[in-house]
Amino acid sequence: GVGDIESLDYEIIENYAYREEQAQRGKYYTVYYVMVKWLFSLLIGIGTAYAAIFINLAVENFAGWKFSATFAIIQHSYIAGFIVYILINLALVFSSVFIVTQFAPAAAGSGIPEIKGYLNGVDTPGILLFRTLIGKIFGSIGSVGGGLALGKEGPLVHTGACIASLLGQGGSTKYHLSSRWLQVFKSDRDRRDLVTCGCAAGVAAAFRAPVGGVLFALEEVTSWWRSQLMWRVFFTSAVVAVVVRSAMGWCKSGNCGHFGSGGFIIWDISGGQEDYSFQELLPMAIIGVIGGLLGALFNQLTLYITNWRRTSLHKKGTRVKIIEACIISLITSIISFGLPLLRKCSPCPALDANSAIECPRPPGTYGNYVNFYCAKDEEYNDLATIFFNTQDDAIRNLFSAKTLHEYSAQSLLSFLVMFYTLAVVTFGTAVPAGQFVPGIMIGSTYGRLVGMFVVRFYKKLNVEEGTYALLGAASFLGGSMRMTVSLCVIMVEITNNLKLLPLIMLVLLISKAVGDAFNEGLYEVQARLKGIPLLESRPKQYMRKMTAREACRNKKVVYFPRVVKVADIVSVLRSNKHNGFPVVDDTQNGEQLVIGLILRGHLLVVLQSRIDFQHSPLPCNPSGGSVPIRHNFSEFAKPVSSKGMSVEDIHLSQDDLEMYIDLAPFLNPSPYIVPEDMSLAKVYNLFRQLGLRHMFVVPRPSRVIGLITRKDLLIEE
Amino acid sequence: GVGDIESLDYEIIENYAYREEQAQRGKYYTVYYVMVKWLFSLLIGIGTAYAAIFINLAVENFAGWKFSATFAIIQHSYIAGFIVYILINLALVFSSVFIVTQFAPAAAGSGIPEIKGYLNGVDTPGILLFRTLIGKIFGSIGSVGGGLALGKEGPLVHTGACIASLLGQGGSTKYHLSSRWLQVFKSDRDRRDLVTCGCAAGVAAAFRAPVGGVLFALEEVTSWWRSQLMWRVFFTSAVVAVVVRSAMGWCKSGNCGHFGSGGFIIWDISGGQEDYSFQELLPMAIIGVIGGLLGALFNQLTLYITNWRRTSLHKKGTRVKIIEACIISLITSIISFGLPLLRKCSPCPALDANSAIECPRPPGTYGNYVNFYCAKDEEYNDLATIFFNTQDDAIRNLFSAKTLHEYSAQSLLSFLVMFYTLAVVTFGTAVPAGQFVPGIMIGSTYGRLVGMFVVRFYKKLNVEEGTYALLGAASFLGGSMRMTVSLCVIMVEITNNLKLLPLIMLVLLISKAVGDAFNEGLYEVQARLKGIPLLESRPKQYMRKMTAREACRNKKVVYFPRVVKVADIVSVLRSNKHNGFPVVDDTQNGEQLVIGLILRGHLLVVLQSRIDFQHSPLPCNPSGGSVPIRHNFSEFAKPVSSKGMSVEDIHLSQDDLEMYIDLAPFLNPSPYIVPEDMSLAKVYNLFRQLGLRHMFVVPRPSRVIGLITRKDLLIEE
Ligand SMILES: Nc1ncnc2c1ncn2[C@@H]1O[C@H](COP(=O)(O)OP(=O)(O)OP(=O)(O)O)[C@@H](O)[C@H]1O
Ligand SMILES: Nc1ncnc2c1ncn2[C@@H]1O[C@H](COP(=O)(O)OP(=O)(O)OP(=O)(O)O)[C@@H](O)[C@H]1O
Ligand SMILES: [Mg+2]
Ligand SMILES: [Mg+2]
């Protein structure tokens, strides 16, 4: 719920401990720090690449084995094959939903909204834990291998982010897998950068699209971007590309079972359509519009269905979740096996002898023209070719060139309706689930449909249905996820065809524009539903007419004096849920001065350690001398993805409660301040652009000590 | 000089006129505004695409005609051909340098450092004027057509930016080409977005690389980025791609003279090397290192030479600049004609009959194996193939696959040395000049050299020298310009080969890292030299130990009271060059309050219009009622790329000087403030991230009126 979600602190708290740490740093600290950052980028790349390879290997082998077993059995009995098929799928899906519900509830879904939230500054509990990582990896093997209408690409982004975050905190403390040596990054700020690298690595590994990964991180998941980060994210993606490539090379020699033949998700259409004529722009624009409409509809339907799940179904406990997933698995199996059975087979086309394509495909191989429940040997079942197949192969078949008239409009249409429904229904079950591959399936189906009409209507020979399938895929993803540049690059990288770039751009622009007319992007909709309070990049229009003071709505500010009684701190912390408190001091002339901001988390650390308690209610150094610092900077570091301490965890004796604490060493002495009548739009920009958590609204200043301009910031040391 | 450069004001000045304007806006204003923004993106795309097509057409025709004329003449006499060649080059270069020096001095160079500066917040005078645009277009036709060692791609970025900015201000007022109808964008902020689109359009048009254009704008030129902008920039790039493609289609039918055959800058190597083995990674890494070293050296040498030009040569007037350019043209012509003469021709290799390549190439065509000063017919001159050729063709030849052993190491080496020297010497002459194509030339030369050694050393058949040439080109650009993702995508888009992506990434990473060890990127070095005060994205290390107060260095703040005598304003404005002044008011209780910031530019507008002068030294509405606003918001808009008014331009009578002005309606009531002891690093971040111009350093506040957290910013209307 919303209540659990806490903001992250990206600000550098310049308290005494921090300044001490800064002062103690040697000459080479910066060099060391930079090197460690690069080392981590390398490790994230390697880790994510291996996770992706593992998931792909496992999925391809499970699915490949499943289909070859089923095909072997249906040679004798379709009933027996059906039952085996259903049972294998059920077993896989059950294992997935079991792992997720029992062990890693945060691993359900794609995880991208949560990661987006994390990088926007809000921490969803449990999202970056070690158990989530494990649940995600094994769960997505089960759910994808089990043939559900979902993909493994979204989960891989989450996996990359988990790996990055775990590395960043030096392993998982809970499972005693941590290493002090690795604990270099103690601030939310550094972790944010690592997680960004992890996301890019995830996409790079999922699609073998290194540039697409960088752009995905930049366009879709991050809220802040620095040019140095670009450079590091790029490095991570390059590492992923190299590692994945060498693994692929190793698999080519047949070490990886079914994997070698199926391969990684790359649907090479470089042999396809070379050029396009201007008349084709109209059907392509129509594809864009369809993509926008169907994508927006998808977002809306999944919103309703997830909402319903959250508010009624999933409240009934994990057993309901498990049963639900199993039922959906059953339905999916029945439809994907049964629907092709109902379909009449078509006679094989006359393929030329040079072509690598055979009809029907030889038993035990992958490819087009599947012979399934056909009377004659020279026939194929076009619905089985896309439905009774792994998703990767189905997409490859839909994208394939030189297979004109392979599909009938009827088959494509019934597949579209069925798969769309399955994808909507499956969305939100308690298994790891990505929306990329289902989106590509849906899009390429209607794309190919349009392509069939174009072939018939324009009677041109150089039109390829596969090209339209690709454009359809781009349009659906654009209409649902509303990405542009990154999606464009990903599509180009996975299809290995640069020539279609302008067409993909066109289609994406149209589908995003159409989709935006109806609702927000899939991830934003889902984040909102999950109560992740994302700050958009722009303030709302009405904020221009409000002031900062109005935004605070005259709430009484809860603050602390500089030296405060322990009992008072405890009672204040118990009485509210605020996470930051101004600290006020009295000067000699009796005036009040705001001297800083103290965080709840830091107060709790101080309370628990007790070493700063003092008997006197006077500041430890009213004269302004140096304060002894009894804390290490790292003690204030908050553990990732955990709520940290709570006041209730702290038990103090009556004596302790009667003592005092001087807060000056622990507070952030220079929080950001805004004058009370600044417009809320400006406040919003400040807050959002700098990634803040707290901001003080203060009265107009009485004088200006100085002006800072560009010249003042360009001084040399 | 530095003195001329002024900051831009990206902040929204929420003065009375602005608030009035906001209040008057109808319901549909936002819709209208958004539509206009998209319309402008479209227009920028179309305009830049046509400018690029025009430049390319002109250059290809001039150069093509030059070479075919020369080749025709040298059939009879080499001396006569030499003279004609020199004279044509001289004429073209002279026209270029003449246009630039006499008419548009700001058009010299690539313009990218200046645009980078503009988007970072500093305005170099004249950089976005109409005359600069014209000078850039015609100047770069002359300089590139004249065979100098420079490219037309950098200037195209500047051209795109100029087109965007001129559209944004509704045309050029000076040349009466403006239209009030188009003057929608009045703030520096909106113009910044347009100029970003223009830059992307420039790269997209120059390289036919739409995605590369978006990334170039993002990585290299802009300092602020918003996700909505990504979307619009992407649209502009797509428009460019479509327009350029249709123009190319039109040219294919032979309407464009020499252009049709030479074509746009696209060096298709998709027929080249398909795969690479791990042993090849070592020579590729070596290419990266060489690129880093040569690139850093290039930056350093051009720094010295530009510095020398600025401080001694160019001070002597425009005539010196013209003579200089002509001398360089002469030297370039002599070397590019003469050096191949000294080279012995090689016998033609045995090419198979199917290959499209002929040796020697037939007269009057483009391609490899140029027969130049050869004794026999069956011979070619390898140095002439790259030197005595247009740069586009030379690069195509260097990248070409299936032409193993075409070049001798000696030729490549002498070309490398010569061309590198020419590129360094040419840099900084008073003509429009880009560094992309020369960089590709240099890089592909040593890349091919390394490739030759690899072919010899590894004795593998599937190694292509052309692939190494491409990697060399990437490495030199990476080592000099220090871009990563954008360069990577541009290289992939211009060579139409996605397979090499991981290799290009690897090489770029190495070359950038090596280059960074020596100096900054080319554009940063040049911006520094030109006195463009770029704010980097990160504060310097020592800023962590300084406070805001220290940065102001105890300067006395020049401020105004709320109601101020006209004579006082004039004398204050005359006595300093500050551009912003705090305004201070007295409350009833005799306390002082800072009520805002007034800009020099706005003061001058008020002074000139005189309608706000009043006789009484009292505020017009001490009770707080509404003030009559006699100004339109657009009156305060500053014209682009001009210094605006100066105090000296304002002539007031003695009576006027005795009157008063109430500044309250004109000031920015809520400038950004920072407490005096905030560390300069935080101040820097605030200033840089929000793109500010002025910031007030104020004493610690006496109380906190309220706290703003994420929740306060998520309120719904
Ligand atoms: N010290 C305080 N005194 C008074 N009001 C406060 C104080 N801190 C926060 N608030 C107000 O309380 C509301 C929310 O409280 P809270 O501190 O939980 O912030 P939040 O938005 O939930 O962020 P976080 O994730 O950091 O908890 C806000 O409207 C804020 O204005
Ligand atoms: N009103 C002022 N009173 C006192 N000092 C000022 C004032 N305005 C600016 N300064 C100081 O003068 C110096 C530079 O002055 P200037 O106003 O020209 O700014 P700048 O950095 O050149 O930016 P711009 O491009 O806006 O002119 C800075 O060090 C700044 O602190
Ligand atoms: Mg809270
Ligand atoms: Mg100045």
Side-chain angles (χ1 to χ4, degrees):
Chain A
V2 188
D4 301 342
I5 291 178
E6 293 267 294
S7 301
L8 296 164
D9 243 306
Y10 288 147
E11 206 180 330
I12 293 169
I13 310 283
E14 294 169 329
N15 59 18
Y16 284 18
Y18 172 80
R19 277 181 270 170
E20 186 83 344
E21 163 127 343
Q22 288 279 320
Q24 278 171 7
R25 278 182 184 176
K27 249 185 185 172
Y28 297 106
Y29 186 84
T30 321
V31 178
Y32 162 73
Y33 194 66
V34 168
M35 297 235 307
V36 171
K37 277 187 175 174
W38 282 91
L39 176 70
F40 272 75
S41 305
L42 177 75
L43 293 178
I44 292 168
I46 295 175
T48 311
Y50 276 111
I53 293 163
F54 176 70
I55 294 176
N56 268 290
L57 263 175
V59 166
E60 289 286 328
N61 275 306
F62 276 125
W65 177 78
K66 174 179 80 185
F67 278 107
S68 58
T70 313
F71 266 107
I73 298 173
I74 58 176
Q75 306 302 323
H76 313 292
S77 152
Y78 273 84
I79 301 284
F82 188 38
I83 291 169
V84 167
Y85 179 71
I86 285 181
L87 288 182
I88 297 176
N89 277 343
L90 201 61
L92 284 169
V93 171
F94 176 79
S95 69
S96 168
V97 70
F98 189 79
I99 292 170
V100 169
T101 49
Q102 302 297 320
F103 179 68
S110 82
I112 294 179
E114 286 87 353
I115 300 296
K116 216 177 138 108
Y118 183 86
L119 293 175
N120 189 272
V122 279
D123 199 0
T124 318
I127 200 68
L128 293 173
L129 292 182
F130 184 67
R131 57 194 307 158
T132 308
L133 172 65
I134 297 298
K136 206 92 197 183
I137 291 178
F138 289 96
S140 63
I141 292 173
S143 63
V144 178
L148 291 183
L150 43 78
K152 56 190 179 298
E153 285 68 29
L156 256 173
V157 175
H158 190 174
T159 304
C162 284
I163 291 176
S165 166
L166 288 169
L167 275 174
Q169 59 173 315
S172 166
T173 22
K174 185 154 179 203
Y175 297 97
H176 306 290
L177 289 170
S178 69
S179 136
R180 279 209 66 76
W181 186 83
L182 285 171
Q183 289 170 16
V184 194
F185 301 109
K186 281 157 208 148
S187 68
D188 283 341
R189 198 187 182 85
D190 289 325
R191 285 184 200 136
R192 174 181 79 186
D193 291 355
L194 291 179
V195 169
T196 309
C197 284
C199 288
V203 174
F207 297 108
R208 289 183 66 195
V211 177
V214 176
L215 290 177
F216 179 84
L218 167 61
E219 188 181 359
E220 188 60 35
V221 290
T222 67
S223 302
W224 298 281
W225 192 260
R226 296 177 298 122
S227 52
Q228 309 98 288
L229 194 56
M230 178 95 141
W231 179 211
R232 234 160 67 217
V233 169
F234 186 67
F235 173 70
T236 312
S237 290
V239 169
V240 170
V242 170
V243 174
V244 168
R245 185 192 175 277
S246 53
M248 299 275 300
W250 188 72
C251 281
K252 257 189 199 142
S253 26
N255 300 310
C256 307
H258 287 272
F259 182 70
S261 43
F264 229 95
I265 181 176
I266 284 273
W267 304 293
D268 198 323
I269 59 159
S270 54
Q273 192 168 344
E274 281 292 283
D275 211 351
Y276 57 92
S277 47
F278 273 87
Q279 295 109 293
E280 288 181 64
L281 291 183
L282 179 68
M284 286 169 181
I286 291 173
I287 287 183
V289 174
I290 299 176
L293 293 174
L294 287 185
L297 182 68
F298 187 81
N299 295 0
Q300 208 60 41
L301 292 177
T302 50
L303 172 67
Y304 294 143
I305 208 156
T306 332
N307 202 6
W308 172 72
R309 280 210 172 90
R310 287 170 64 85
T311 52
S312 53
L313 197 64
H314 285 183
K315 279 204 174 147
K316 296 185 186 135
T318 56
R319 193 171 301 169
V320 176
K321 290 186 189 176
I322 295 180
I323 295 172
E324 179 198 20
C326 291
I327 292 175
I328 289 176
S329 165
L330 272 180
I331 296 174
T332 310
S333 304
I334 292 171
I335 291 179
S336 64
F337 194 101
L339 215 61
L341 285 184
L342 301 178
R343 173 94 197 128
K344 237 181 65 217
C345 288
S346 333
C348 275
L351 291 167
D352 66 30
N354 288 339
S355 153
I357 302 168
E358 287 181 68
C359 178
R361 70 172 194 205
T365 61
Y366 302 89
N368 276 289
Y369 301 113
V370 175
N371 185 314
F372 182 80
Y373 206 60
C374 294
K376 296 200 205 107
D377 260 5
E378 295 292 272
E379 282 187 344
Y380 72 99
N381 186 326
D382 65 343
L383 197 51
T385 306
I386 42 180
F387 225 150
F388 191 62
N389 218 335
T390 63
Q391 290 177 1
D392 279 15
D393 274 315
I395 293 172
R396 202 169 288 117
N397 295 342
L398 284 168
F399 280 3
S400 64
K402 317 221 159 50
T403 53
L404 243 50
H405 311 300
E406 175 175 356
Y407 302 99
S408 65
Q410 206 185 337
S411 294
L412 288 185
L413 214 58
S414 56
F415 176 73
L416 178 62
V417 173
M418 277 301 165
F419 196 83
Y420 194 94
T421 318
L422 284 177
V424 169
V425 173
T426 314
F427 188 100
T429 34
V431 291
Q435 275 71 54
F436 264 105
V437 168
I440 293 177
M441 294 277 275
I442 293 169
S444 53
T445 311
Y446 67 76
R448 188 138 185 148
L449 257 173
V450 174
M452 284 168 57
F453 285 107
V454 174
V455 168
R456 186 168 308 168
F457 202 73
Y458 288 112
K459 297 221 169 49
K460 284 232 176 122
L461 279 174
N462 63 349
V463 172
E464 281 285 355
E465 293 171 2
T467 305
Y468 285 81
L470 164 68
L471 294 179
S475 76
F476 187 79
L477 293 181
S480 163
M481 298 176 185
R482 315 283 160 80
M483 299 182 279
T484 51
V485 187
S486 53
L487 203 51
C488 188
V489 172
I490 291 175
M491 292 311 290
V492 166
E493 287 190 278
I494 57 180
T495 56
N496 198 14
N497 193 334
L498 261 170
K499 295 243 171 76
L500 299 179
L501 186 64
L503 296 181
I504 297 178
M505 288 177 101
L506 177 86
V507 164
L508 280 178
L509 280 164
I510 295 173
S511 67
K512 180 177 153 72
V514 171
D516 276 341
F518 293 98
N519 49 27
E520 282 181 300
L522 182 65
Y523 299 131
E524 282 83 30
V525 170
Q526 290 295 321
R528 181 178 304 246
L529 186 70
K530 291 185 178 172
I532 299 169
L534 292 183
L535 284 182
E536 287 164 32
S537 66
R538 240 173 199 285
K540 295 252 164 51
Q541 197 67 32
Y542 64 82
M543 289 189 178
R544 295 198 187 169
K545 287 173 199 146
M546 286 177 70
T547 65
R549 198 191 322 102
E550 285 161 26
C552 303
R553 275 165 278 136
N554 286 327
K555 258 178 266 169
K556 233 183 101 40
V557 173
V558 185
Y559 68 91
F560 288 115
R562 172 170 173 178
V563 184
V564 57
K565 212 170 164 185
V566 174
D568 291 346
I569 298 184
V570 172
S571 79
V572 167
L573 290 185
R574 289 225 170 106
S575 69
N576 64 48
K577 292 185 133 196
H578 299 321
N579 287 303
F581 306 91
V583 179
V584 169
D585 196 12
D586 296 306
T587 55
Q588 284 95 328
N589 10 351
E591 265 184 275
Q592 272 203 338
L593 271 191
V594 179
I595 58 167
L597 168 87
I598 184 106
L599 290 179
R600 173 182 285 259
H602 291 190
L603 275 178
L604 292 175
V605 170
V606 173
L607 284 183
Q608 198 173 42
S609 76
R610 289 181 214 190
I611 45 175
D612 301 288
F613 292 2
Q614 59 184 43
H615 287 283
S616 111
L618 293 172
C620 30
N621 62 333
S623 56
S626 84
V627 190
I629 298 142
R630 308 182 194 86
H631 291 273
N632 192 320
F633 182 57
S634 62
E635 282 174 49
F636 292 112
K638 201 183 69 172
V640 183
S641 267
S642 88
K643 299 203 60 168
M645 267 180 289
S646 136
V647 213
E648 324 297 336
D649 304 339
I650 288 173
H651 305 284
L652 295 170
S653 68
Q654 201 55 41
D655 285 353
D656 284 337
L657 289 175
E658 290 302 316
M659 290 175 84
Y660 293 87
I661 303 182
D662 179 3
L663 297 177
F666 313 111
L667 48 78
N668 174 1
S670 49
Y672 288 94
I673 58 176
V674 291
E676 49 180 332
D677 44 8
M678 185 180 270
S679 82
L680 196 56
K682 276 174 90 167
V683 172
Y684 187 98
N685 274 335
L686 176 61
F687 195 92
R688 173 65 167 70
Q689 305 262 341
L690 298 183
L692 301 186
R693 188 179 186 185
H694 295 103
M695 216 153 60
F696 287 173
V697 180
V698 297
R700 281 184 178 292
S702 59
R703 65 196 177 93
V704 177
I705 294 175
L707 255 84
I708 288 193
T709 66
R710 186 171 283 257
K711 263 193 204 123
D712 299 313
L713 297 176
L714 286 165
I715 41 156
E716 295 296 320
E717 205 169 355
Chain B
V2 188
D4 302 342
I5 291 177
E6 293 266 296
S7 301
L8 296 163
D9 243 307
Y10 289 147
E11 205 181 329
I12 294 169
I13 310 281
E14 294 171 331
N15 58 18
Y16 284 18
Y18 172 80
R19 277 181 271 170
E20 186 84 343
E21 163 126 345
Q22 288 279 319
Q24 279 171 6
R25 280 181 183 174
K27 247 185 185 172
Y28 297 105
Y29 187 84
T30 321
V31 179
Y32 163 72
Y33 194 65
V34 169
M35 297 236 306
V36 171
K37 276 187 175 177
W38 282 91
L39 176 70
F40 271 75
S41 305
L42 177 75
L43 293 179
I44 292 168
I46 295 176
T48 311
Y50 275 111
I53 293 163
F54 176 69
I55 293 177
N56 267 291
L57 264 176
V59 166
E60 288 287 329
N61 275 305
F62 276 124
W65 177 77
K66 175 180 77 184
F67 278 107
S68 59
T70 313
F71 266 108
I73 297 172
I74 58 175
Q75 305 302 323
H76 313 292
S77 152
Y78 272 85
I79 301 285
F82 188 38
I83 290 169
V84 167
Y85 179 71
I86 285 182
L87 288 182
I88 297 176
N89 279 343
L90 201 62
L92 284 168
V93 171
F94 177 78
S95 69
S96 169
V97 70
F98 188 80
I99 292 170
V100 169
T101 49
Q102 302 298 320
F103 179 68
S110 82
I112 294 180
E114 287 87 353
I115 299 298
K116 215 176 140 110
Y118 183 85
L119 294 175
N120 190 273
V122 278
D123 199 0
T124 318
I127 202 68
L128 293 172
L129 293 182
F130 185 66
R131 58 194 306 158
T132 308
L133 173 64
I134 297 298
K136 205 92 196 182
I137 291 178
F138 288 96
S140 65
I141 292 172
S143 63
V144 178
L148 291 183
L150 42 77
K152 56 190 179 295
E153 286 67 29
L156 255 173
V157 175
H158 189 175
T159 303
C162 282
I163 291 176
S165 166
L166 288 169
L167 275 173
Q169 60 174 316
S172 166
T173 22
K174 185 155 179 203
Y175 296 96
H176 305 290
L177 290 169
S178 69
S179 135
R180 280 208 67 76
W181 186 82
L182 285 171
Q183 288 170 18
V184 193
F185 301 110
K186 280 158 210 147
S187 68
D188 283 340
R189 200 189 181 82
D190 289 324
R191 286 184 201 138
R192 174 181 78 185
D193 290 356
L194 292 180
V195 169
T196 310
C197 283
C199 288
V203 174
F207 297 107
R208 289 184 66 195
V211 177
V214 176
L215 290 177
F216 178 83
L218 167 61
E219 188 181 0
E220 188 60 35
V221 290
T222 66
S223 302
W224 297 282
W225 192 259
R226 296 177 298 122
S227 51
Q228 308 100 288
L229 194 56
M230 178 95 142
W231 179 210
R232 235 161 65 218
V233 169
F234 186 67
F235 173 69
T236 313
S237 288
V239 170
V240 170
V242 170
V243 174
V244 168
R245 187 192 173 278
S246 53
M248 299 275 300
W250 188 71
C251 280
K252 258 190 198 138
S253 25
N255 300 311
C256 308
H258 287 273
F259 183 68
S261 45
F264 229 95
I265 182 176
I266 284 273
W267 304 294
D268 198 323
I269 59 159
S270 54
Q273 192 168 344
E274 282 291 282
D275 211 350
Y276 56 93
S277 47
F278 272 87
Q279 296 109 291
E280 287 181 66
L281 290 183
L282 178 68
M284 286 167 181
I286 291 174
I287 287 182
V289 174
I290 299 176
L293 293 175
L294 288 185
L297 183 68
F298 187 80
N299 294 2
Q300 208 60 40
L301 291 178
T302 50
L303 172 68
Y304 292 143
I305 208 155
T306 333
N307 202 6
W308 172 72
R309 280 212 171 89
R310 287 171 65 85
T311 51
S312 54
L313 197 65
H314 284 183
K315 279 203 174 147
K316 296 187 188 134
T318 56
R319 194 171 301 170
V320 175
K321 291 187 188 175
I322 295 180
I323 294 172
E324 180 200 18
C326 292
I327 290 175
I328 290 177
S329 164
L330 273 181
I331 297 174
T332 310
S333 304
I334 291 171
I335 292 180
S336 65
F337 194 99
L339 214 61
L341 286 185
L342 301 178
R343 174 94 196 129
K344 236 180 68 220
C345 289
S346 334
C348 276
L351 291 165
D352 66 28
N354 287 339
S355 151
I357 302 169
E358 286 181 68
C359 177
R361 71 172 195 206
T365 62
Y366 302 89
N368 276 288
Y369 301 112
V370 175
N371 185 315
F372 183 79
Y373 204 58
C374 294
K376 295 199 205 109
D377 260 6
E378 294 292 272
E379 283 186 342
Y380 73 98
N381 186 326
D382 64 343
L383 197 51
T385 304
I386 42 180
F387 225 149
F388 191 63
N389 217 336
T390 63
Q391 290 176 0
D392 279 16
D393 275 315
I395 293 173
R396 202 170 287 119
N397 294 343
L398 284 168
F399 280 3
S400 65
K402 317 219 162 52
T403 53
L404 243 49
H405 311 300
E406 176 176 355
Y407 301 98
S408 65
Q410 207 185 336
S411 294
L412 288 184
L413 214 59
S414 55
F415 176 74
L416 178 62
V417 172
M418 275 301 163
F419 196 83
Y420 194 93
T421 317
L422 284 177
V424 168
V425 173
T426 314
F427 189 99
T429 34
V431 291
Q435 275 71 53
F436 265 105
V437 169
I440 294 177
M441 294 276 275
I442 293 168
S444 53
T445 311
Y446 67 75
R448 188 136 186 151
L449 257 173
V450 174
M452 284 168 57
F453 286 106
V454 175
V455 168
R456 186 168 309 170
F457 202 72
Y458 288 112
K459 297 224 167 51
K460 286 235 175 118
L461 278 173
N462 63 349
V463 172
E464 281 285 356
E465 291 170 3
T467 306
Y468 285 81
L470 164 68
L471 294 179
S475 77
F476 187 79
L477 293 180
S480 163
M481 297 176 184
R482 314 284 160 78
M483 298 183 280
T484 52
V485 188
S486 53
L487 203 53
C488 189
V489 172
I490 290 175
M491 291 311 289
V492 166
E493 287 190 277
I494 58 179
T495 56
N496 199 12
N497 193 334
L498 261 171
K499 295 241 170 78
L500 299 179
L501 187 64
L503 297 181
I504 296 177
M505 289 177 102
L506 177 85
V507 163
L508 280 178
L509 280 164
I510 296 174
S511 68
K512 180 177 153 74
V514 171
D516 276 343
F518 293 98
N519 49 27
E520 284 183 298
L522 183 65
Y523 300 130
E524 282 81 29
V525 170
Q526 291 294 321
R528 181 179 303 247
L529 186 70
K530 290 185 178 171
I532 300 169
L534 293 182
L535 285 182
E536 287 164 31
S537 64
R538 239 174 200 283
K540 295 253 164 49
Q541 198 67 32
Y542 64 83
M543 289 188 176
R544 295 199 186 169
K545 287 172 198 146
M546 287 177 70
T547 64
R549 199 190 321 101
E550 285 161 26
C552 302
R553 275 165 277 134
N554 286 326
K555 258 177 268 171
K556 235 185 101 42
V557 173
V558 184
Y559 67 91
F560 288 115
R562 174 171 172 177
V563 185
V564 57
K565 212 171 165 184
V566 174
D568 291 346
I569 299 183
V570 172
S571 78
V572 167
L573 291 186
R574 289 225 169 108
S575 69
N576 65 48
K577 293 185 130 195
H578 299 322
N579 286 303
F581 306 91
V583 179
V584 169
D585 197 12
D586 296 306
T587 55
Q588 283 95 327
N589 9 352
E591 264 181 276
Q592 273 204 336
L593 271 191
V594 180
I595 59 168
L597 169 87
I598 183 107
L599 290 179
R600 173 183 284 260
H602 292 191
L603 274 179
L604 292 176
V605 170
V606 173
L607 284 183
Q608 196 172 43
S609 75
R610 289 181 215 189
I611 45 176
D612 302 288
F613 292 1
Q614 60 185 43
H615 286 284
S616 111
L618 293 173
C620 32
N621 63 331
S623 56
S626 84
V627 189
I629 296 142
R630 308 183 193 87
H631 291 274
N632 192 320
F633 181 56
S634 61
E635 283 175 48
F636 292 113
K638 199 183 69 172
V640 182
S641 268
S642 88
K643 299 203 59 168
M645 265 180 291
S646 136
V647 211
E648 323 298 337
D649 303 340
I650 288 173
H651 304 285
L652 295 169
S653 66
Q654 201 55 42
D655 285 355
D656 284 338
L657 289 175
E658 290 301 317
M659 291 176 83
Y660 293 87
I661 304 181
D662 179 2
L663 297 177
F666 313 111
L667 47 78
N668 174 359
S670 50
Y672 289 95
I673 57 177
V674 291
E676 49 179 334
D677 44 7
M678 184 178 270
S679 81
L680 197 56
K682 276 175 90 167
V683 172
Y684 187 98
N685 273 334
L686 177 60
F687 195 93
R688 173 64 169 70
Q689 304 261 340
L690 298 182
L692 301 185
R693 189 179 186 186
H694 294 103
M695 216 153 62
F696 287 174
V697 180
V698 298
R700 282 185 176 291
S702 60
R703 66 196 177 94
V704 177
I705 293 175
L707 255 83
I708 289 194
T709 66
R710 186 171 283 257
K711 262 190 205 127
D712 300 312
L713 297 176
L714 286 165
I715 40 157
E716 294 296 320
E717 205 168 356

